[in-house]
Amino acid sequence: MKIFFPKELDSEARISITPDFLKKYIDSGLKVSVQTSIGLHLGFKDEIYKELGAEIVDRKKGLKEGNIICSVNKLSGEDLIDVKENSLIVSFLDPFNDKGLVEDLKAKNISSISMELIPRTTRAQKMDALSSQANLGGYAAVLIASNILSKSFPMMMTAAGTISPSKVFVVGVGVAGLQAIATAKRLGAKVEAFDTRPVVEEQVKSLGARFVKIDIGETEETSQGYAKELTAEQIDLQRAGMKKVCSNSDVIITTAQVFGRKAPIIITSEMIEDMNPGSVIVDMAVGTGGNVEGSKPNENVDLNGITIVGNTNLPGEVAVHASQVYSANIFNLIDEFWDQKNSILEITTSDEILSGCLVTHKGEFVNSIVKERYS
Ligand code: NAD
């Protein structure tokens, strides 16, 4: 059984296998091939992969021969021409926004696992790529904001006077938000945070930040810990409650997501107009519609002197570590279902992890939301 790791396309800096995972795959009895110069930009030369037992191949050969193909981002339509029937592809697939790809996979009888759909269970925690990447994304968001902001984060008492700490407001306290709070605190900022899930208040306080209380009525979360969508009235209440905190903040980091849906617009242009020129907003939800009015994917927008950062690949800013943890997520997933004795990957749709993250298998849709949307 052959596992292939292609080089990522476009500007993606992350990779799906760092050299330290090669031995683990080979010890399990898998044959590993990687595309030429897969990790060169991160300092991982082909020779390192070769010395550790991988075959270095061109993209076409790897795709044609691979029984399992793992990448960070989805393969292109052109790539799929070369992928064998009955093989398995594993990557972030964006299945709810790319109907064409999902239908193609089904028609071509290619099995596919979407890393976004790994269930949030204790057993699957080590495969949870959304969390491993969001954590580093939250860290990178704060560093980018601190670089753009023309102020220091910590308070400094100097002979030339006292410098007051910068104020950071984090909206949405999931995995990314918690790391953003922790990073901003470590840098010495004064941090406030808000989330619609009340359970978060204790976590915010335990990091030494202030939880902003806004009464928006009943809110719900799914069994997997995701927030449910707010009503239009609740969003209005939230905006009104946040207005003053926003206008006093030097930095706002927004991470609010609603699973499988467009992100809610939380910060309006009117709220941005009240902020001080020079302030910075990082919209971490920009890739799924954005939390900030006027944010643009992969652009820094200047609105009356306020910079709105729309970086869609914040984990890619710390690509070595993002690749290391993503490689671990992928290995743990394969390892969980690898039957070493018989050299087969046991794909059973009744398994609670696979039933969640398998998008297509044996010419059928598997994940229930994908099935409901596309059948
Ligand atoms: P996410 O990326 O879906 O959303 C980010 C945050 O935005 C969430 O905390 C959400 O409540 C919040 N949000 C949504 N709408 C909002 C709004 N209008 N205003 C303010 N905030 C809003 O969430 P996530 O980071 O993936 O994690 C969600 C939860 O799941 C967290 O509590 C996390 O600890 C938990 N989790 C559990 C596991 C596990 O059990 N294995 C794994 C990962 C995460």
Side-chain angles (χ1 to χ4, degrees):
M1 182 83 75
K2 212 166 207 182
I3 186 163
F4 172 58
F5 297 87
K7 194 171 147 81
E8 297 297 319
L9 302 170
D10 305 323
S11 57
E12 179 61 76
R14 294 170 296 169
I15 58 176
S16 51
I17 184 165
T18 49
D20 21 331
F21 287 90
L22 266 168
K23 189 170 176 324
K24 290 176 188 274
Y25 283 111
I26 290 166
D27 285 350
S28 315
L30 273 152
K31 288 199 176 86
V32 183
S33 61
V34 301
Q35 187 177 340
T36 315
S37 65
I38 181 174
L40 203 56
H41 60 291
L42 299 180
F44 305 131
K45 293 183 181 158
D46 286 352
E47 293 86 82
I48 302 177
Y49 286 93
K50 207 172 165 188
E51 272 165 25
L52 291 165
E55 190 187 355
I56 314 294
V57 297
D58 66 36
R59 190 176 190 87
K60 230 178 168 42
K61 181 171 157 72
L63 292 171
K64 279 191 165 159
E65 292 181 353
N67 305 99
I68 307 170
I69 299 164
C70 304
S71 53
V72 178
N73 296 316
K74 58 194 171 191
L75 298 178
S76 69
E78 206 180 311
D79 285 334
L80 289 188
I81 297 171
D82 291 322
V83 176
K84 282 192 288 204
E85 214 177 297
N86 288 319
S87 48
L88 170 72
I89 63 166
V90 182
S91 73
F92 284 117
L93 271 182
D94 196 20
F96 304 133
N97 295 311
D98 198 344
K99 189 177 178 203
L101 172 81
V102 172
E103 284 182 337
D104 221 15
L105 291 168
K106 179 173 171 255
K108 291 191 150 93
N109 202 4
I110 296 169
S111 299
S112 55
I113 285 180
S114 171
M115 291 304 283
E116 296 95 326
L117 297 177
I118 296 282
R120 256 105 189 253
T121 57
T122 310
R123 189 177 144 228
Q125 226 163 3
K126 58 188 176 186
M127 312 163 199
D128 184 354
L130 273 187
S131 293
S132 73
Q133 302 303 297
N135 176 45
L136 287 163
Y139 165 81
V142 173
L143 293 195
I144 287 176
S146 74
N147 260 330
I148 297 172
L149 189 74
S150 312
K151 290 183 173 181
S152 84
F153 266 33
M155 183 178 93
M156 292 185 197
M157 291 166 87
T158 75
T162 300
I163 293 171
S164 44
S166 293
K167 293 185 197 121
V168 175
F169 182 30
V170 176
V171 184
V173 190
V175 180
L178 281 173
Q179 186 56 254
I181 295 173
T183 305
K185 282 296 294 180
R186 272 185 226 124
L187 286 176
K190 201 170 161 207
V191 185
E192 296 176 292
F194 173 73
D195 195 295
T196 53
R197 293 178 302 118
V199 292
V200 163
E201 182 172 351
E202 277 314 305
Q203 299 167 17
V204 169
K205 285 184 181 161
S206 73
L207 288 171
R210 188 179 86 87
F211 187 75
V212 176
K213 287 202 176 190
I214 304 168
D215 185 3
I216 53 170
E218 280 289 297
T219 55
E220 288 179 81
E221 64 177 65
T222 67
S223 56
Q224 305 241 345
Y226 290 116
K228 288 207 175 161
E229 204 168 18
L230 298 184
T231 63
E233 291 74 30
Q234 284 178 310
I235 289 272
D236 282 344
L237 284 172
Q238 177 180 356
R239 285 180 188 145
M242 286 181 13
K243 204 167 186 290
K244 194 155 171 255
V245 187
C246 288
S247 67
N248 281 332
S249 299
D250 299 298
V251 169
I252 302 179
I253 314 264
T254 68
T255 79
Q257 306 264 11
V258 179
F259 188 74
R261 299 193 177 276
K262 192 178 167 298
I265 294 275
I266 295 171
I267 313 274
T268 60
S269 307
E270 206 188 334
M271 290 159 86
I272 300 170
E273 272 164 28
D274 275 354
M275 294 176 72
N276 290 318
S279 305
V280 181
I281 308 176
V282 182
D283 186 353
M284 287 193 68
V286 71
T288 53
N291 292 143
V292 182
E293 211 164 48
S295 68
K296 292 203 177 116
N298 299 319
E299 271 185 45
N300 283 3
V301 175
D302 185 317
L303 204 81
N304 305 324
I306 289 134
T307 307
I308 310 170
V309 178
N311 189 328
T312 56
N313 188 0
L314 288 162
E317 299 292 329
V318 279
V320 168
H321 284 148
S323 302
Q324 177 194 318
V325 289
Y326 186 76
S327 300
N329 296 142
I330 295 274
F331 174 76
N332 291 330
L333 172 74
I334 302 295
D335 188 51
E336 182 81 13
F337 300 103
W338 178 244
D339 174 352
Q340 188 165 356
K341 201 165 141 232
N342 298 307
S343 270
I344 51 162
L345 198 65
E346 276 189 291
I347 300 185
T348 41
T349 52
S350 56
D351 179 272
E352 56 153 17
I353 296 177
L354 291 175
S355 66
C357 64
L358 261 178
V359 171
T360 54
H361 184 53
K362 294 196 169 154
E364 302 285 344
F365 293 134
V366 180
N367 170 277
S368 59
I369 308 173
V370 171
K371 216 187 239 176
E372 196 182 297
R373 288 211 189 162
Y374 299 145
S375 289

